[in-house]
Amino acid sequence: MRSQRKGPFIDEPLLKAITGMNTRNEKKIYKTWSRRSTITPDMVGHTIAVHDGRKHVPVYITEAMVGHKLGEFAPTRTFRYHAGQEKSSRR
């Protein structure tokens, strides 16, 4: 957990892009690899494509997401099935 006095961590290029889009009043998808950045109220309403290791997953930011990390909304693993589950579904 990060200390209160430091504030939330946001990668510098992502912060610049979001503030730039807010000043120009534009809504475009921004691609980022920064899964560790914290979602701030400035990001609400934007779509950010977060990299999951293979591709960029578009994430629309809402008010309920503020305070969470971007990586929480772009899962890195895809669940297929549990071992032995495939055989039982054929019956």
Side-chain angles (χ1 to χ4, degrees):
M1 180 155 237
R2 196 166 160 92
S3 73
Q4 288 279 342
R5 71 175 171 82
K6 288 184 183 179
F9 175 80
I10 307 160
D11 269 340
E12 202 62 36
L14 177 63
L15 182 63
K16 285 182 183 177
I18 294 296
T19 55
M21 283 194 284
N22 284 341
T23 56
R24 291 188 301 272
N25 207 10
E26 66 181 3
K27 304 278 186 186
K28 66 176 191 172
I29 296 176
Y30 181 75
K31 285 186 177 181
T32 185
W33 282 261
S34 177
R35 299 173 56 86
R36 62 189 180 167
S37 293
T38 306
I39 297 172
T40 60
D42 296 340
M43 297 179 186
V44 172
H46 290 285
T47 302
I48 300 174
V50 184
H51 197 256
D52 71 348
R54 273 187 320 160
K55 60 189 181 309
H56 285 87
V57 178
V59 177
Y60 179 75
I61 308 297
T62 61
E63 288 184 21
M65 296 178 178
V66 173
H68 291 269
K69 302 287 185 179
L70 283 173
E72 294 180 46
F73 304 102
T76 57
R77 296 182 175 102
T78 54
F79 175 75
R80 303 268 190 248
Y81 53 85
H82 289 292
Q85 191 175 13
E86 185 180 34
K87 294 177 186 175
S88 64
S89 64
R90 289 183 185 170
R91 292 182 193 171

